[in-house]
Amino acid sequence: MTSRFLRACFREPVDATPVWFMRQAGRYMPGYREVRRGRGVLDIARTPALAVPVALEPVRTLGVDAAILFADIALPLQAMGFPIDIEEGVGPVSAVPVRAPEDIERLRPFEPAQVPFIPETIRRLKEKLRGLPLIGFSGAPFTLASYLVEGRPSKDFARTKEFMWSHPDAWAALLRRLAEGMGDYLRLQVEAGAEAVQVFDSWVGALSPPDYADAVAPATASLFRSLRETGVPAIHFGTGTAALLPAMRAAGGDVVSVDWRQPLDEAWRSLDGAVAIQGNLDPAAMLAPVAVLDAKVDDVLARAGGRPGHIFNLGHGVLPGTPVDHARRVVERVHARTGGGG
Ligand code: CP3
């Protein structure tokens, strides 16, 4: 039988609501911290013998309904010839950001030969997962462009917007290159065995709806179009997207993932019920006393109202310091409250 996660992606009825967590592999997990000692995030991602156990840990410890490849959105940018790294406690950084239109020429077509460890990790994970679905992922053109232009994480995306407005043709070309590169990267993941893909547009909520429509949606839509031929469901993720949901839905994805800033039922209405929905527990709720956490889980489930096409997740990634017990409790509660067996 198809897994409940994949059924929910296609809005088919399920035996219980599927649940997984963005950033379910990470510092809150003891096994991850062990592997991480003396190594960088990308070192782990480049080593199948490390990336496989790290991706499996939350599956085994929490009982989630899907695994996600262990990698980072910055990684395929290196395979496009762009120097970028993950700085401890900061995120993606580049010493040579995109500052002038001609800088976009430095972004080359994606080279699969640069990431042989990705299909290898996927193949090894599939063997261990025995039918539990594996999610592949990439960043979306806007979120990736923000790292390329800023050279590091940003709060206001001022340089990104300045570039977008000052050099609209170069900006469009940059996003097109990213969409093509991520299309190639995601197809590689699906060919190796990923059964769904998630496109992370983590910072897209920084844009106004007209800027999104003019400067971002065309590239994002072309990425989702290029994924259709794979036949696997695509999840379109963003945060702070209350005003952008109709445009994001139009840009593509079988599932739209929403954060906690907007109630799930409201978000679903603005998506016209035309796609599945993923979300939307506040990640900080997993740090709260369990009575508060339980109530917040129940609120999300009540707003989903048992409709087909809900994938329970956080609105953003698991926070460091989250008690593993609390994460497991959420998985168990979602299954118990939505499963026929009660
Ligand atoms: O289980 C999983 O989901 C892990 C795989 C994964 C990582 N990064 C590994 C990682 C995934 C899906 C990502 C995606 C990612 N990377 C996104 C999109 C998701 C989101 O949170 O919006 C973004 C924006 C990035 C860029 C990035 N990488 C940031 C902002 C950071 C945070 C820096 C920090 O110290 O918290 C990273 C580092 C990173 N990538 C970690 C992990 C597990 C942090 C843990 C560590 O340093 O060991």
Side-chain angles (χ1 to χ4, degrees), residues 21 31 86 165 225 274 283 304 339:
F21 300 123
I86 304 284
W165 290 324
R225 256 195 319 276

Side-chain angles (χ1 to χ4, degrees), residues 23-25 27 32 36 68 71-73 89 92 147 200 202 316:
R23 296 285 191 93
Q24 62 191 17
R27 280 167 298 199
Y32 178 82
R36 179 79 162 76
I68 181 162
D72 190 86
I73 61 168
Y147 287 114
F200 284 98
S202 305
H316 206 166

Side-chain angles (χ1 to χ4, degrees), residues 73-89:
I73 61 168
L75 191 145
L77 297 173
Q78 297 181 335
M80 295 179 75
F82 204 93
I84 187 159
D85 221 323
I86 304 284
E87 193 176 305
E88 169 104 47

Side-chain angles (χ1 to χ4, degrees), residues 190-201:
V190 173
E191 278 159 25
E195 285 137 310
V197 293
Q198 177 153 328
V199 175
F200 284 98
D201 214 349

Side-chain angles (χ1 to χ4, degrees), residues 268-312:
W268 218 337
R269 268 199 298 283
S270 73
L271 293 165
D272 283 341
V275 284
I277 195 160
Q278 177 171 271
N280 72 340
L281 183 70
D282 186 338
M286 293 214 291
L287 301 167
V290 291
V292 176
L293 173 58
D294 287 352
K296 291 195 181 295
V297 169
D298 292 353
D299 182 64
V300 171
L301 292 176
R303 291 177 191 279
R307 280 171 287 190
H310 178 219
I311 297 160
F312 193 102

